[in-house]
Structures are given as C-alpha cells and as structure tokens.
Amino acid sequence: MTTPFERYFENRSIPAGRRRTSAIRALLAGTLATAAVLFLGDPANAARPKPGFEPALPQAPAAVSVAPPTAGSIFNASAGYAGFVEGRRARAVGDPLTVVLIENLTTAKTAGAKTQKSGQFSITPPTSGPLSFLNPNALKASGGSSFNGQGNASQTSTLAGEVAVTIAEVRSNGTALVRGEKRMMLSQGQEWVQFSGIVRLGDIDQENRILSTQIADARVEYTGNGSVGRASREGWLSKFFNAISPF
C-alpha cells in the first residue's frame, strides 16, 4: 500500500529510493509544522496584557428636566460634598487610589516514613530416630524488609511595589471593586502589572493608600514580553519532544 507522498511521486522520473526519502522528509516537515502550531501558538498573542483592567470613568450625573428642589439653605450635597470624617478619600466610581504591594509568602513541607520488619524460622530435628539424619542448619529460615523515605519542599514568593488603581464598582455593604494596571516600555521589551480586588472603603487612609494584604480576592499579574522574556521560555521544539518523551 502506497502512501499519499509516494503516489505524488509515482508519475515523476525519480528513483524509488529518492521518492521514499522525499516522502519521509515531507511527513517530518508536516509533523514539525503541526507541533509548531500546537506548542508555539500565535506569536503576536504570546504575551500581551489581559483586557479588563482599564481605568473606570466616573459616573455622569443624571440629567433632570426641571430644577431640583432646594432645602431652603445654601448647602447642596450634590456639589462635590465630602464629609469631615471622610475628607477627600476615594469613595466613588472613578476615584483613584494607590495599592501598596506587600506580598510575602513562604511555605515549607517535610514528610518522612520509615518501616522495618523481620522474621525468623527454625526447626530442631530429633537426635535419634528416622529423622536424625536432618541437618539443623538446613531447617532455618529468616527474612526481613525495610523502607526509609524522606521528602522536603519549600517555596518563597516576594512582591513589593505600588500600583495606582481606580474604583470600578461601589457596593452597598461599604466595599468597592478596584482594578488597574501599570505598563512600562523598556529597551528590551514591555512589562506590566495588573491588579484587581475588593477593598473596604474604611481601610483607605487619608492619602488614598491601602495595603494589598487588606484587599480581598486580590489578583496580581506581573509579566512582560521582549527578548528577555523570550529567552526565559522553553522553545516549541523542546516542548514537543518533552511532551512525547517517555522519560
């Protein structure tokens, strides 16, 4: 049975040996091309900032057709009013604040197991009678087994810095959803920090700063692209052979 590559060369004046070699080369080229698509993907989208971290715009005031009723005084709560206790703290959609990244995570795990078992069996034959010819040393048996295993694992992660975010949503229980990003264009590529989480408005200090350890459901992504980022990633051909390697 001929392969499609061999049928392609049947009507050409090429020896059979060269036809088979060309078919193998074409098959290998197709395999490598498929592996490149599977493991390399789209190079343009290999490392790009994720969408959804754009700054939130402040909510526009609702349009009214008639003049709002007055309270009988010069006080107007809708004209940028801020309470004495709140000051100028971020509290509305679109207000910016600074997140101080203080992330320190250290984990360690140690496991060990040890087992040991031994046994012995022996028979002493009589010194007289029909069984006196048995050798006592030949009727002895012993056995034993032992196991000793140990395992250690440790990991340390540290992240420090600051990133400015904006309030994207204010909730009725006094919390707010914040999100934002910072992009830096360097000579060897681009780096970005993306952050999102839920803050309690009362935890924001007078300078509109809050620690990342006080933010619930915090999501931090710090990555980049460029020549330095490509050098630290495994090549697609190595990924292909590591995926099919049985070792």
Side-chain angles (χ1 to χ4, degrees), residues 82-236:
F84 178 76
V85 178
E86 296 179 353
R88 303 302 301 176
R89 295 181 183 177
R91 66 185 188 279
V93 176
D95 289 351
L97 63 135
T98 302
V99 177
V100 182
L101 300 175
I102 304 178
E103 297 295 331
N104 263 322
L105 181 62
T106 302
T107 59
K109 181 179 181 181
T110 302
K114 183 177 181 180
T115 61
Q116 187 174 2
K117 181 179 181 181
S118 61
Q120 187 175 2
F121 173 79
S122 64
I123 296 177
T124 302
T127 57
S128 61
L131 300 179
S132 60
F133 66 93
L134 296 176
N135 185 3
N137 295 327
L139 300 178
K140 295 181 179 180
S142 62
S145 63
S146 62
F147 170 78
N148 188 7
Q150 293 181 352
N152 297 288
S154 62
Q155 180 178 355
T156 302
S157 302
T158 303
L159 179 63
E162 296 181 357
V163 57
V165 297
T166 56
I167 296 179
E169 178 185 346
V170 178
R171 301 177 179 178
S172 59
N173 60 348
T175 62
L177 171 65
V178 298
R179 66 188 181 199
E181 63 181 354
K182 178 187 291 185
R183 302 189 187 186
M184 296 163 286
M185 180 66 71
L186 306 177
S187 59
Q188 298 298 328
Q190 184 182 16
E191 294 185 0
W192 57 86
V193 182
Q194 294 180 325
F195 184 91
S196 67
I198 300 175
V199 305
R200 196 170 70 93
L201 296 178
D203 293 335
I204 303 175
D205 61 11
Q206 297 179 355
E207 297 180 355
N208 283 330
R209 298 163 68 90
I210 187 172
L211 301 179
S212 62
T213 54
Q214 298 176 291
I215 299 178
D217 195 23
R219 300 184 180 182
V220 186
E221 180 175 345
Y222 176 41
T223 184
N225 54 23
S227 58
V228 178
R230 288 194 301 268
S232 62
R233 290 192 292 268
E234 186 180 9
W236 64 268

Side-chain angles (χ1 to χ4, degrees), residues 6-44:
E6 293 175 338
R7 288 196 300 268
Y8 176 78
F9 293 104
E10 283 181 354
N11 298 326
R12 285 158 176 79
S13 57
I14 301 177
R18 292 186 58 185
R19 289 201 303 267
R20 184 172 296 275
T21 303
S22 300
I24 294 175
R25 290 179 179 176
L27 181 60
L28 180 59
T31 303
L32 294 179
T34 304
V37 174
L38 293 177
F39 292 93
L40 182 61
D42 186 4

